[in-house]
Amino acid sequence: MNMAFWLFVIKELKSLARDPKMLIAMVVVPLVLMAIVYGVLGQAVVEQIKQVTKAGYSISVIDMDRGVYAQKFVEYLRSLGVDVNLVEKDVEDKVGIDIQNISTKILFIIPRGFSENISKTIPAHIVTYVKIESLTIGEGGILDVARTYVSQFNSALLKSIARERNIPEQLLSGIVFSDIVGLLKEKIIKNPSIFFSIVTMGSVFIPMIVLLLVVFAAQLVATSIAIEKEEKMFETLLSLPINRMSVIGAKLFTSIFISSIYMLGYSLILFQLFLNQILRTTVLTPAEQMVGLDTLTSFTMPREFTVYLVVNVVGLAIFIVSLSLLLSLFAEDVRTAQAIVGNIVGPTIIVIYLPMFIEASTTETRLAIALIPIANTAFLSKFILLEDYTTSIAAAVSNIVYGLIVFVVLRKIVNSETIFTLKLFRRKRAE
Amino acid sequence: MSQPVVVVENLVKVYQKNIRAVDNISFYVYPGEIFGLIGPNGAGKTTTLRIIATVLQPTQGRVLVYGYDVAKDAAKVRRIISYLPEDAGAYKYLTGLEFLELVAKLYTKDPKKIEEFIEIGIKLSGLGDRLNDKVKTYSKGMLRRLLVAKTLMVKPKVAILDEPTSGLDVVNAVHVRESIKRFAKDVGGTVILSSHNMLEVEYLCDRVAIIHKGRILVVGKPRELMERFEASNLEEVFVKLVWGA
């Protein structure tokens, strides 16, 4: 890096630190943005959960107990208006259960000894399998549906036992418990609550980070270029004995650097909230063995994905910041630059939050998403959860390619008189 | 006469929509000379200076500064010139001194030279302790003095000043003119400037070119032009030429 680059980096940092308007914008704008985004998305998620809950009205049950209380459970579900599909299973069959043939989202397995345990007032467990397919944030609602059926049955049963034995209901603690297991493609997820916390994190938290990076860096770089014009330094800069790209590079670097620090600050606050939520959940163990499925107990990200993630985000940052800088060259002042960039980059909020609502179950869909800048970063968490290497590589490469194309165009403009005449013709005819 | 350090030959500048801002002009500027471009608004003065300063590129013709073509060797030209645009400003959240330091460091890496440039800048600006204040607190006159100082302090071979005293009160205008005179005398640098102020041009310039509608009408020493057009000052020369044009 040459000296001019660092001189301008220092100058940018000094100006930012001393400009009160900039400090207000750095605190207030993201807070307002977050409030709007969460307000709108919160409502959308509630609607989505309602839709998913409807899927819980049809469930499958494998009764391996064949006892009276298993029967009561099925009857109870039917009394709630639930469409119960009883899957026939030989009690002596040790081979296992072919989960792919189960058509409903929820499968209850009532293990042997269930009724006997309840008769002896010993806790009994129902193993609940929840099929995970769309990886949308609302899909997590199905866990609550499954849990609710079991806990409602538990309450009804406690009342009945208390009545039969003439003891206060309050003296009885829970008797029927639900061990919930998630099923994602060929994998068993031991604690789907944690899994959906990660899905939520990927759908809300990661896009928020990307959003902060994109919007903030874009606004920062546009403001920084417009300030050169507003402070009437632009023409002088073009005649200085320095590489013009040093100035542009310093502005790109400073914008990305400050946005990254800022983004990390916000991320840590959000991450803290999510971590607390995850740690409150407990780890369960499935009681029945499933055939041909691997057990997914933890979510450590493969090293390759870390590389794709970094390349993807770097590519996105170069693309958006270069694009914003390019657009801001048309503006005469800070307000116009922010308006131009805001109107172009603003709608990316919609793209960023697509993962919350769009299913990425087919390879074709995922590859198409991989070619859409910004969306491909927001979808990364899903690509990683699905261990989709091809799409992750395509997403990273496409972002780098978009970033480089815009950067090359920017460089060409900066090193010609167009950088000056873009402004010139918007304002007035030169002398 | 020695070789010209700035050569402008058959220069044409056409903007989009066929606006012909400069129409086939030629002039030469010699070492140590203060050369003035004078003319009404829209005459092509600023465009000409912008081309010499490598901000714009010629459509036709050639412009050489110390033998370097402004279109092909722009980077080399920028190393020997220093340009002050008419509508220039400075970073308002830097202090005057920080601004001078930034500019000095952009012209050289040598710490001694940086120090020397800043010293010259401090003297040329005449702003004293106010250099420790942020630029945003400066009046228009103070800002212009700072900008003239930053342009001349780096001791360019050619200083290009577009309307250096435009909009300044008498005190600040006199200060700027003195700075330019001192630069030419002490450093031996060449200055090309544009101005509306005929008195200023008479006082400052060794030679002038009167430009109108993108064409140069006449080039010469102010005294010679006044004699030739039987005028008592350059303003009369200018009026006679422009009305006659």
Side-chain angles (χ1 to χ4, degrees), chain A residues 302-329:
Chain A
R303 193 169 288 175
E304 297 91 316
F305 280 116
T306 313
V307 176
Y308 308 148
L309 178 75
V310 171
V311 175
N312 188 306
V313 174
V314 168
L316 177 72
I318 295 171
F319 171 62
I320 289 293
V321 177
S322 302
L323 185 67
S324 305
L325 204 150
L326 199 60
L327 292 169
S328 63
L329 290 176

PDB file of all heavy atoms in Angstrom, chain A residues 302-329:
ATOM      1  N   PRO A 302     -17.819 -27.196   8.733  1.00  0.00           N
ATOM      2  CA  PRO A 302     -16.619 -27.709   8.070  1.00  0.00           C
ATOM      3  C   PRO A 302     -15.712 -26.549   7.630  1.00  0.00           C
ATOM      4  O   PRO A 302     -16.208 -25.481   7.275  1.00  0.00           O
ATOM      5  CB  PRO A 302     -17.178 -28.437   6.846  1.00  0.00           C
ATOM      6  CG  PRO A 302     -18.600 -28.696   7.148  1.00  0.00           C
ATOM      7  CD  PRO A 302     -19.042 -27.605   8.058  1.00  0.00           C
ATOM      8  N   ARG A 303     -14.396 -26.815   7.652  1.00  0.00           N
ATOM      9  CA  ARG A 303     -13.420 -25.755   7.357  1.00  0.00           C
ATOM     10  C   ARG A 303     -13.633 -25.142   5.968  1.00  0.00           C
ATOM     11  O   ARG A 303     -13.494 -23.956   5.781  1.00  0.00           O
ATOM     12  CB  ARG A 303     -12.001 -26.321   7.476  1.00  0.00           C
ATOM     13  CG  ARG A 303     -10.946 -25.241   7.504  1.00  0.00           C
ATOM     14  CD  ARG A 303      -9.602 -25.784   7.892  1.00  0.00           C
ATOM     15  NE  ARG A 303      -9.539 -26.143   9.293  1.00  0.00           N
ATOM     16  CZ  ARG A 303      -8.494 -26.735   9.866  1.00  0.00           C
ATOM     17  NH1 ARG A 303      -7.449 -27.054   9.144  1.00  0.00           N
ATOM     18  NH2 ARG A 303      -8.502 -27.016  11.132  1.00  0.00           N
ATOM     19  N   GLU A 304     -13.994 -25.999   5.007  1.00  0.00           N
ATOM     20  CA  GLU A 304     -14.197 -25.514   3.635  1.00  0.00           C
ATOM     21  C   GLU A 304     -15.252 -24.401   3.619  1.00  0.00           C
ATOM     22  O   GLU A 304     -15.126 -23.403   2.924  1.00  0.00           O
ATOM     23  CB  GLU A 304     -14.669 -26.639   2.703  1.00  0.00           C
ATOM     24  CG  GLU A 304     -13.678 -27.764   2.543  1.00  0.00           C
ATOM     25  CD  GLU A 304     -13.897 -28.864   3.562  1.00  0.00           C
ATOM     26  OE1 GLU A 304     -14.116 -28.538   4.745  1.00  0.00           O
ATOM     27  OE2 GLU A 304     -13.843 -30.044   3.198  1.00  0.00           O
ATOM     28  N   PHE A 305     -16.306 -24.621   4.412  1.00  0.00           N
ATOM     29  CA  PHE A 305     -17.392 -23.644   4.422  1.00  0.00           C
ATOM     30  C   PHE A 305     -16.933 -22.295   4.981  1.00  0.00           C
ATOM     31  O   PHE A 305     -17.435 -21.258   4.588  1.00  0.00           O
ATOM     32  CB  PHE A 305     -18.590 -24.162   5.221  1.00  0.00           C
ATOM     33  CG  PHE A 305     -19.437 -25.125   4.442  1.00  0.00           C
ATOM     34  CD1 PHE A 305     -19.571 -26.438   4.850  1.00  0.00           C
ATOM     35  CD2 PHE A 305     -20.083 -24.721   3.282  1.00  0.00           C
ATOM     36  CE1 PHE A 305     -20.343 -27.334   4.129  1.00  0.00           C
ATOM     37  CE2 PHE A 305     -20.863 -25.613   2.554  1.00  0.00           C
ATOM     38  CZ  PHE A 305     -20.984 -26.923   2.971  1.00  0.00           C
ATOM     39  N   THR A 306     -15.977 -22.359   5.919  1.00  0.00           N
ATOM     40  CA  THR A 306     -15.448 -21.102   6.476  1.00  0.00           C
ATOM     41  C   THR A 306     -14.814 -20.285   5.360  1.00  0.00           C
ATOM     42  O   THR A 306     -15.012 -19.079   5.276  1.00  0.00           O
ATOM     43  CB  THR A 306     -14.394 -21.403   7.566  1.00  0.00           C
ATOM     44  OG1 THR A 306     -14.930 -22.394   8.419  1.00  0.00           O
ATOM     45  CG2 THR A 306     -14.044 -20.168   8.358  1.00  0.00           C
ATOM     46  N   VAL A 307     -14.065 -20.978   4.487  1.00  0.00           N
ATOM     47  CA  VAL A 307     -13.420 -20.294   3.354  1.00  0.00           C
ATOM     48  C   VAL A 307     -14.489 -19.694   2.439  1.00  0.00           C
ATOM     49  O   VAL A 307     -14.417 -18.525   2.052  1.00  0.00           O
ATOM     50  CB  VAL A 307     -12.524 -21.282   2.563  1.00  0.00           C
ATOM     51  CG1 VAL A 307     -11.930 -20.601   1.329  1.00  0.00           C
ATOM     52  CG2 VAL A 307     -11.432 -21.826   3.459  1.00  0.00           C
ATOM     53  N   TYR A 308     -15.513 -20.493   2.103  1.00  0.00           N
ATOM     54  CA  TYR A 308     -16.573 -20.002   1.206  1.00  0.00           C
ATOM     55  C   TYR A 308     -17.289 -18.810   1.834  1.00  0.00           C
ATOM     56  O   TYR A 308     -17.646 -17.858   1.154  1.00  0.00           O
ATOM     57  CB  TYR A 308     -17.603 -21.098   0.889  1.00  0.00           C
ATOM     58  CG  TYR A 308     -17.002 -22.387   0.376  1.00  0.00           C
ATOM     59  CD1 TYR A 308     -17.587 -23.612   0.648  1.00  0.00           C
ATOM     60  CD2 TYR A 308     -15.835 -22.364  -0.393  1.00  0.00           C
ATOM     61  CE1 TYR A 308     -17.036 -24.795   0.188  1.00  0.00           C
ATOM     62  CE2 TYR A 308     -15.272 -23.543  -0.850  1.00  0.00           C
ATOM     63  CZ  TYR A 308     -15.875 -24.761  -0.555  1.00  0.00           C
ATOM     64  OH  TYR A 308     -15.333 -25.910  -1.006  1.00  0.00           O
ATOM     65  N   LEU A 309     -17.498 -18.893   3.136  1.00  0.00           N
ATOM     66  CA  LEU A 309     -18.186 -17.815   3.857  1.00  0.00           C
ATOM     67  C   LEU A 309     -17.389 -16.509   3.765  1.00  0.00           C
ATOM     68  O   LEU A 309     -17.930 -15.455   3.424  1.00  0.00           O
ATOM     69  CB  LEU A 309     -18.387 -18.208   5.325  1.00  0.00           C
ATOM     70  CG  LEU A 309     -19.044 -17.181   6.224  1.00  0.00           C
ATOM     71  CD1 LEU A 309     -20.527 -17.106   5.956  1.00  0.00           C
ATOM     72  CD2 LEU A 309     -18.802 -17.510   7.685  1.00  0.00           C
ATOM     73  N   VAL A 310     -16.076 -16.625   4.038  1.00  0.00           N
ATOM     74  CA  VAL A 310     -15.216 -15.433   4.011  1.00  0.00           C
ATOM     75  C   VAL A 310     -15.175 -14.848   2.594  1.00  0.00           C
ATOM     76  O   VAL A 310     -15.359 -13.645   2.397  1.00  0.00           O
ATOM     77  CB  VAL A 310     -13.794 -15.770   4.517  1.00  0.00           C
ATOM     78  CG1 VAL A 310     -12.841 -14.606   4.286  1.00  0.00           C
ATOM     79  CG2 VAL A 310     -13.833 -16.122   5.999  1.00  0.00           C
ATOM     80  N   VAL A 311     -14.962 -15.731   1.589  1.00  0.00           N
ATOM     81  CA  VAL A 311     -14.890 -15.272   0.196  1.00  0.00           C
ATOM     82  C   VAL A 311     -16.214 -14.610  -0.205  1.00  0.00           C
ATOM     83  O   VAL A 311     -16.244 -13.552  -0.838  1.00  0.00           O
ATOM     84  CB  VAL A 311     -14.550 -16.444  -0.761  1.00  0.00           C
ATOM     85  CG1 VAL A 311     -14.607 -15.988  -2.219  1.00  0.00           C
ATOM     86  CG2 VAL A 311     -13.178 -16.993  -0.446  1.00  0.00           C
ATOM     87  N   ASN A 312     -17.292 -15.246   0.196  1.00  0.00           N
ATOM     88  CA  ASN A 312     -18.630 -14.720  -0.119  1.00  0.00           C
ATOM     89  C   ASN A 312     -18.819 -13.314   0.441  1.00  0.00           C
ATOM     90  O   ASN A 312     -19.221 -12.388  -0.269  1.00  0.00           O
ATOM     91  CB  ASN A 312     -19.670 -15.679   0.485  1.00  0.00           C
ATOM     92  CG  ASN A 312     -21.088 -15.348   0.051  1.00  0.00           C
ATOM     93  OD1 ASN A 312     -21.524 -14.223   0.220  1.00  0.00           O
ATOM     94  ND2 ASN A 312     -21.794 -16.317  -0.483  1.00  0.00           N
ATOM     95  N   VAL A 313     -18.521 -13.143   1.727  1.00  0.00           N
ATOM     96  CA  VAL A 313     -18.744 -11.844   2.380  1.00  0.00           C
ATOM     97  C   VAL A 313     -17.789 -10.780   1.821  1.00  0.00           C
ATOM     98  O   VAL A 313     -18.203  -9.638   1.576  1.00  0.00           O
ATOM     99  CB  VAL A 313     -18.616 -11.973   3.919  1.00  0.00           C
ATOM    100  CG1 VAL A 313     -18.690 -10.605   4.585  1.00  0.00           C
ATOM    101  CG2 VAL A 313     -19.731 -12.868   4.455  1.00  0.00           C
ATOM    102  N   VAL A 314     -16.529 -11.183   1.578  1.00  0.00           N
ATOM    103  CA  VAL A 314     -15.566 -10.223   1.005  1.00  0.00           C
ATOM    104  C   VAL A 314     -16.046  -9.780  -0.385  1.00  0.00           C
ATOM    105  O   VAL A 314     -16.064  -8.587  -0.701  1.00  0.00           O
ATOM    106  CB  VAL A 314     -14.145 -10.844   0.923  1.00  0.00           C
ATOM    107  CG1 VAL A 314     -13.220  -9.982   0.075  1.00  0.00           C
ATOM    108  CG2 VAL A 314     -13.573 -11.012   2.321  1.00  0.00           C
ATOM    109  N   GLY A 315     -16.467 -10.751  -1.200  1.00  0.00           N
ATOM    110  CA  GLY A 315     -16.984 -10.458  -2.544  1.00  0.00           C
ATOM    111  C   GLY A 315     -18.184  -9.530  -2.469  1.00  0.00           C
ATOM    112  O   GLY A 315     -18.277  -8.555  -3.222  1.00  0.00           O
ATOM    113  N   LEU A 316     -19.081  -9.812  -1.544  1.00  0.00           N
ATOM    114  CA  LEU A 316     -20.285  -8.990  -1.391  1.00  0.00           C
ATOM    115  C   LEU A 316     -19.910  -7.556  -0.998  1.00  0.00           C
ATOM    116  O   LEU A 316     -20.450  -6.588  -1.548  1.00  0.00           O
ATOM    117  CB  LEU A 316     -21.203  -9.592  -0.317  1.00  0.00           C
ATOM    118  CG  LEU A 316     -22.453  -8.780  -0.005  1.00  0.00           C
ATOM    119  CD1 LEU A 316     -23.449  -8.860  -1.148  1.00  0.00           C
ATOM    120  CD2 LEU A 316     -23.102  -9.239   1.284  1.00  0.00           C
ATOM    121  N   ALA A 317     -18.976  -7.460  -0.046  1.00  0.00           N
ATOM    122  CA  ALA A 317     -18.559  -6.124   0.426  1.00  0.00           C
ATOM    123  C   ALA A 317     -17.960  -5.325  -0.735  1.00  0.00           C
ATOM    124  O   ALA A 317     -18.314  -4.162  -0.936  1.00  0.00           O
ATOM    125  CB  ALA A 317     -17.566  -6.264   1.566  1.00  0.00           C
ATOM    126  N   ILE A 318     -17.076  -5.961  -1.522  1.00  0.00           N
ATOM    127  CA  ILE A 318     -16.454  -5.258  -2.657  1.00  0.00           C
ATOM    128  C   ILE A 318     -17.531  -4.832  -3.655  1.00  0.00           C
ATOM    129  O   ILE A 318     -17.544  -3.701  -4.143  1.00  0.00           O
ATOM    130  CB  ILE A 318     -15.397  -6.149  -3.353  1.00  0.00           C
ATOM    131  CG1 ILE A 318     -14.230  -6.415  -2.396  1.00  0.00           C
ATOM    132  CG2 ILE A 318     -14.881  -5.500  -4.634  1.00  0.00           C
ATOM    133  CD1 ILE A 318     -13.241  -7.447  -2.893  1.00  0.00           C
ATOM    134  N   PHE A 319     -18.445  -5.744  -3.927  1.00  0.00           N
ATOM    135  CA  PHE A 319     -19.503  -5.479  -4.914  1.00  0.00           C
ATOM    136  C   PHE A 319     -20.370  -4.292  -4.482  1.00  0.00           C
ATOM    137  O   PHE A 319     -20.532  -3.325  -5.227  1.00  0.00           O
ATOM    138  CB  PHE A 319     -20.360  -6.740  -5.089  1.00  0.00           C
ATOM    139  CG  PHE A 319     -21.601  -6.528  -5.911  1.00  0.00           C
ATOM    140  CD1 PHE A 319     -21.520  -6.130  -7.234  1.00  0.00           C
ATOM    141  CD2 PHE A 319     -22.858  -6.731  -5.358  1.00  0.00           C
ATOM    142  CE1 PHE A 319     -22.668  -5.932  -7.993  1.00  0.00           C
ATOM    143  CE2 PHE A 319     -24.004  -6.528  -6.111  1.00  0.00           C
ATOM    144  CZ  PHE A 319     -23.907  -6.129  -7.426  1.00  0.00           C
ATOM    145  N   ILE A 320     -20.906  -4.375  -3.288  1.00  0.00           N
ATOM    146  CA  ILE A 320     -21.844  -3.341  -2.838  1.00  0.00           C
ATOM    147  C   ILE A 320     -21.152  -1.988  -2.652  1.00  0.00           C
ATOM    148  O   ILE A 320     -21.674  -0.952  -3.074  1.00  0.00           O
ATOM    149  CB  ILE A 320     -22.527  -3.781  -1.513  1.00  0.00           C
ATOM    150  CG1 ILE A 320     -23.499  -4.923  -1.791  1.00  0.00           C
ATOM    151  CG2 ILE A 320     -23.257  -2.609  -0.850  1.00  0.00           C
ATOM    152  CD1 ILE A 320     -24.698  -4.552  -2.635  1.00  0.00           C
ATOM    153  N   VAL A 321     -19.984  -2.020  -2.037  1.00  0.00           N
ATOM    154  CA  VAL A 321     -19.305  -0.757  -1.749  1.00  0.00           C
ATOM    155  C   VAL A 321     -18.833  -0.097  -3.050  1.00  0.00           C
ATOM    156  O   VAL A 321     -18.969   1.110  -3.223  1.00  0.00           O
ATOM    157  CB  VAL A 321     -18.157  -0.984  -0.743  1.00  0.00           C
ATOM    158  CG1 VAL A 321     -17.397   0.299  -0.495  1.00  0.00           C
ATOM    159  CG2 VAL A 321     -18.712  -1.481   0.581  1.00  0.00           C
ATOM    160  N   SER A 322     -18.321  -0.909  -3.987  1.00  0.00           N
ATOM    161  CA  SER A 322     -17.888  -0.347  -5.284  1.00  0.00           C
ATOM    162  C   SER A 322     -19.093   0.207  -6.040  1.00  0.00           C
ATOM    163  O   SER A 322     -19.023   1.280  -6.646  1.00  0.00           O
ATOM    164  CB  SER A 322     -17.207  -1.411  -6.146  1.00  0.00           C
ATOM    165  OG  SER A 322     -16.106  -1.939  -5.471  1.00  0.00           O
ATOM    166  N   LEU A 323     -20.194  -0.526  -5.998  1.00  0.00           N
ATOM    167  CA  LEU A 323     -21.412  -0.087  -6.683  1.00  0.00           C
ATOM    168  C   LEU A 323     -21.908   1.237  -6.088  1.00  0.00           C
ATOM    169  O   LEU A 323     -22.287   2.163  -6.810  1.00  0.00           O
ATOM    170  CB  LEU A 323     -22.499  -1.166  -6.550  1.00  0.00           C
ATOM    171  CG  LEU A 323     -23.800  -0.925  -7.309  1.00  0.00           C
ATOM    172  CD1 LEU A 323     -23.572  -0.979  -8.810  1.00  0.00           C
ATOM    173  CD2 LEU A 323     -24.855  -1.943  -6.910  1.00  0.00           C
ATOM    174  N   SER A 324     -21.892   1.310  -4.770  1.00  0.00           N
ATOM    175  CA  SER A 324     -22.350   2.533  -4.097  1.00  0.00           C
ATOM    176  C   SER A 324     -21.439   3.706  -4.448  1.00  0.00           C
ATOM    177  O   SER A 324     -21.914   4.824  -4.663  1.00  0.00           O
ATOM    178  CB  SER A 324     -22.352   2.340  -2.583  1.00  0.00           C
ATOM    179  OG  SER A 324     -23.124   1.232  -2.269  1.00  0.00           O
ATOM    180  N   LEU A 325     -20.147   3.426  -4.485  1.00  0.00           N
ATOM    181  CA  LEU A 325     -19.193   4.486  -4.819  1.00  0.00           C
ATOM    182  C   LEU A 325     -19.437   4.984  -6.247  1.00  0.00           C
ATOM    183  O   LEU A 325     -19.444   6.177  -6.510  1.00  0.00           O
ATOM    184  CB  LEU A 325     -17.771   3.945  -4.674  1.00  0.00           C
ATOM    185  CG  LEU A 325     -16.704   4.997  -4.420  1.00  0.00           C
ATOM    186  CD1 LEU A 325     -15.573   4.419  -3.590  1.00  0.00           C
ATOM    187  CD2 LEU A 325     -16.123   5.541  -5.696  1.00  0.00           C
ATOM    188  N   LEU A 326     -19.678   4.020  -7.116  1.00  0.00           N
ATOM    189  CA  LEU A 326     -19.955   4.338  -8.525  1.00  0.00           C
ATOM    190  C   LEU A 326     -21.203   5.221  -8.629  1.00  0.00           C
ATOM    191  O   LEU A 326     -21.209   6.241  -9.317  1.00  0.00           O
ATOM    192  CB  LEU A 326     -20.166   3.026  -9.284  1.00  0.00           C
ATOM    193  CG  LEU A 326     -20.029   3.023 -10.788  1.00  0.00           C
ATOM    194  CD1 LEU A 326     -18.648   3.464 -11.202  1.00  0.00           C
ATOM    195  CD2 LEU A 326     -20.295   1.627 -11.325  1.00  0.00           C
ATOM    196  N   LEU A 327     -22.250   4.832  -7.923  1.00  0.00           N
ATOM    197  CA  LEU A 327     -23.502   5.593  -7.965  1.00  0.00           C
ATOM    198  C   LEU A 327     -23.333   6.988  -7.368  1.00  0.00           C
ATOM    199  O   LEU A 327     -23.901   7.959  -7.863  1.00  0.00           O
ATOM    200  CB  LEU A 327     -24.596   4.838  -7.191  1.00  0.00           C
ATOM    201  CG  LEU A 327     -25.080   3.530  -7.811  1.00  0.00           C
ATOM    202  CD1 LEU A 327     -25.946   2.767  -6.825  1.00  0.00           C
ATOM    203  CD2 LEU A 327     -25.866   3.802  -9.082  1.00  0.00           C
ATOM    204  N   SER A 328     -22.541   7.049  -6.304  1.00  0.00           N
ATOM    205  CA  SER A 328     -22.393   8.341  -5.622  1.00  0.00           C
ATOM    206  C   SER A 328     -21.620   9.349  -6.471  1.00  0.00           C
ATOM    207  O   SER A 328     -21.680  10.542  -6.207  1.00  0.00           O
ATOM    208  CB  SER A 328     -21.712   8.154  -4.270  1.00  0.00           C
ATOM    209  OG  SER A 328     -20.418   7.655  -4.451  1.00  0.00           O
ATOM    210  N   LEU A 329     -20.916   8.867  -7.494  1.00  0.00           N
ATOM    211  CA  LEU A 329     -20.196   9.800  -8.380  1.00  0.00           C
ATOM    212  C   LEU A 329     -21.161  10.700  -9.148  1.00  0.00           C
ATOM    213  O   LEU A 329     -20.800  11.769  -9.604  1.00  0.00           O
ATOM    214  CB  LEU A 329     -19.320   9.026  -9.372  1.00  0.00           C
ATOM    215  CG  LEU A 329     -18.094   8.323  -8.791  1.00  0.00           C
ATOM    216  CD1 LEU A 329     -17.387   7.521  -9.866  1.00  0.00           C
ATOM    217  CD2 LEU A 329     -17.130   9.331  -8.177  1.00  0.00           C
TER     218      LEU A 329
END
